């Protein structure tokens, strides 16, 4: 089994429900949820929006490989109604965003996937919930 840490973010629609739906789908499609951080309300970063975010982190035990995990998180985003991914540093409002932060002690750097997440240390909205569950 593998341990992965995921970051969840939402700033559109019923935000608490979006987080709950993502957690349910993670449990169904990815693996056993070991712990979930508190939910934090944060300001948008990297773009202007009138909508604040809800952010959380989740620790999951999974049999999926990192590449399979990426495909499943993207499928959950699409199934939840997310139409586009942020690319080239251009961010926008989103129903749900699921980022892979850590996966065991692996370091991966491909065009499709970078683990640890390359900007997580710059983002309080990621680090605060992650620190809460790292030892859980």
């Amino acid at each position: 089994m593998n341990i992965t840490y995921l970051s969840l973010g939402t700033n559109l629609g019923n935000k608490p429900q979006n987080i709950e739906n993502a957690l349910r789908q993670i449990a169904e499609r990815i693996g056993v949820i070991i712990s979930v951080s508190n939910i934090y309300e944060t300001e948008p970063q990297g773009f202007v929006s009138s909508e604040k975010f809800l952010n959380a982190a989740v620790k999951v035990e999974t049999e999926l490989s990192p590449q399979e995990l990426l495909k499943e998180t993207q499928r959950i985003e699409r199934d939840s109604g997310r139409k586009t991914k942020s690319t080239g540093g251009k961010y926008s409002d989103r129903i749900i965003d699921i980022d892979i932060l850590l996966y065991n002690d692996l370091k991966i750097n491909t065009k499709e996937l970078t683990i640890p997440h390359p900007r997580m240390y710059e983002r309080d909205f990621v680090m605060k919930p992650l620190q809460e569950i790292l030892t859980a």
Side-chain angles (χ1 to χ4, degrees):
M1 283 299 217
N2 304 291
I3 298 295
T4 188
Y5 293 85
L6 307 174
S7 175
L8 309 177
T10 176
N11 79 326
L12 290 177
N14 184 334
K15 294 178 265 189
Q17 189 63 52
N18 294 344
I19 296 284
E20 284 300 315
N21 287 341
L23 290 170
R24 181 181 44 75
Q25 290 184 63
I26 288 166
E28 290 173 4
R29 298 177 179 192
I30 293 175
V32 176
I33 293 176
I34 297 170
S35 60
V36 179
S37 73
N38 288 308
I39 295 174
Y40 295 86
E41 185 176 71
T42 62
E43 295 291 333
Q45 290 189 4
F47 72 104
V48 176
S49 175
S50 61
E51 297 293 328
K52 291 186 177 183
F53 274 83
L54 292 185
N55 295 98
V58 59
K59 180 180 182 178
V60 182
E61 187 176 64
T62 185
E63 293 183 6
L64 299 179
S65 71
Q67 292 75 17
E68 292 168 329
L69 177 60
L70 177 63
K71 287 178 185 174
E72 281 305 318
T73 58
Q74 290 177 341
R75 186 174 297 148
I76 292 169
E77 290 175 342
R78 282 191 310 275
D79 290 353
S80 297
R82 185 163 182 187
K83 307 272 189 267
T84 60
K85 284 293 285 180
S86 302
T87 57
K90 295 183 181 180
Y91 302 103
S92 61
D93 295 315
R94 61 208 73 153
I95 291 173
I96 194 71
D97 183 42
I98 305 171
D99 288 333
I100 303 169
L101 303 176
L102 301 166
Y103 184 100
N104 294 335
D105 292 330
L106 286 183
K107 292 184 182 183
I108 298 173
N109 192 356
T110 66
K111 183 179 177 187
E112 297 81 26
L113 181 61
T114 303
I115 298 175
H117 190 284
R119 291 173 301 285
M120 70 183 208
Y121 298 108
E122 304 165 5
R123 299 173 170 173
D124 285 342
F125 66 88
V126 171
M127 293 307 295
K128 193 170 185 177
L130 178 61
Q131 288 172 337
E132 201 180 301
I133 63 169
L134 270 173
T135 58

